[in-house]
Amino acid sequence: MFLATAVSAVLSATLTVPATAAPTDEVEVKTFNLPQGTQLTVDNFDTFQPDPWLTPDEVHRRRYNQYYTIDSRQFSDSAPQQKLAGDIWTECAQRKIDRPGKPWVRDHYAFCIKGEIGFSRKETSVLGKKLVYELTIPYTAVGIGSKNERKVDLNIHLHTDKIKRDDPEGKMPPDPVLDMEIFCKDLFTDGDPAAAKTCTVNNNQPGVPATITRRLSELMSAPSDYAFTFTSDDSQAGWSPTQVQRSGPEKVVASNIGMGFHWSGSTGTPSGINGFQTSARFDSADYLKYGSDPGVGGQGAVFYDVIPSIEYRVGDTEVSEIAQHIWDALNAPDRTVPLNPNKWVPGGSNNEDDTLARLRWNRTVTPWVPWGDEVGRIADNRRKALDVCERNEGAGEPGPGKQCDEFPFARTFQGAAHSDYDPVAPLNWSARWVDGDQNVAAGSRLGRWFGNDRILDWSYDGRLQDDFFVRVPDGS
């Protein structure tokens, strides 16, 4: 096992040369990235292969395997209950991460990955196969996003006190050279680092990785912590027309960031990455700083291999009626109006076709402008829901202090007017009279969460978008 990769060079490879014992002998020297604690053997030597470069489709798949939930009570105006984020290093140390190369993304602002990178030599002869030597170096890496800058910090710790070197026959190079390459490139460049003009590492030129080359003796004597910074300039200088168009009003950049490891004794054709990679999204959504919590700015960076959820609780008296309405819509749609015997309200499961997406931009004009409160899709969502409430056909009783609540939220694509704008089945939504103060409180929490978690109205080619779920754990 060892650390190995290079964005433009071999990250893992096999060298086959004649051995001296017999004409049929083979020698293979490979770089590996393994889950911590994995024992490399002759039998699994060929099992661990380099990961392909991250693609939008792979990010899409990863997102539907990682989720997190934010309690809306932390955005309460009357009695905020702030949930501490916790120390990501401590959480990472306590968490089992058994997917080599795929970080655990805790939320939009933190990820961690653990593994063992090294190299090994396998010899094959008429007498059989054997591992001749092996070097492994455990590592932990943590990424931190930002609520107010187009910046991601990456910190890597090499556990040099736990290096394992097994060389009973003395065939390992006495002081091998280990290369580490830290990269940041546009997610839509299909692995071509030269095409990445939207992201930089440590103020290098866009698309140029940061590299560290150390002999083993230097690694063991040097500091074991390394820090890197990924940034994305929103000036759009050097961006292609496609990149500019894809970025939208928020100048969004979806990037592949990570680190690869390479041992100089492994040669061959580049075939992927031995290391880790994840997606990061940079934005300049200036409007998020208004109505959000202190610390939220007009720029930011989040990790994208995860889908967030916001949680409302029936037991929370500030929003109890809204929480029950959401629960009914998701779990007992027959209790809701408009009536629809086949009603299926999106937003509650982990299914790919069940997410909600924020609605902000009117894309029918160029440049895009925000939908207004009186005219447009958001207003149509509210108007259609209000029409059902006012007809009073099972929507509860109107009265002083009541407001018409709708789910999915009016500020989502899946609101009441969804079928008027997109080719989807109608009436898969709910409207109900609720306490007006609770309705305002729930909407305020949603807006503040949009800002704090940097939920945008952005998507590209239908493959990536800022989708989310809504949870109500205590409804009935």
Side-chain angles (χ1 to χ4, degrees), residues 83-95 104 106-107 110-112 142-144:
K83 181 179 178 181
L84 299 178
D87 177 55
I88 183 63
W89 285 99
T90 300
E91 293 183 43
C92 192
Q94 296 171 347
R95 190 177 186 90
W104 165 55
R106 186 188 69 185
D107 53 43
F111 78 78
C112 83
V142 163
I144 303 296

Side-chain angles (χ1 to χ4, degrees), residues 309-312 322-337 343-351 353-356 406-409 414 428-432 468-473 475-476:
S309 301
I310 185 170
E311 177 184 277
Y312 293 92
I322 282 69
Q324 186 63 54
H325 181 203
I326 294 172
W327 192 92
D328 286 346
L330 295 174
N331 299 281
D334 57 312
R335 299 179 186 174
T336 69
V337 291
K343 181 179 286 190
W344 173 78
V345 179
S349 76
N350 289 342
N351 296 328
D353 56 355
D354 195 28
T355 55
L356 304 182
E406 70 278 346
F407 187 83
F409 308 118
Q414 293 74 24
N428 285 319
W429 50 275
S430 175
R432 177 180 295 178
F468 64 92
F469 295 105
V470 182
R471 311 295 187 194
V472 181
S476 62

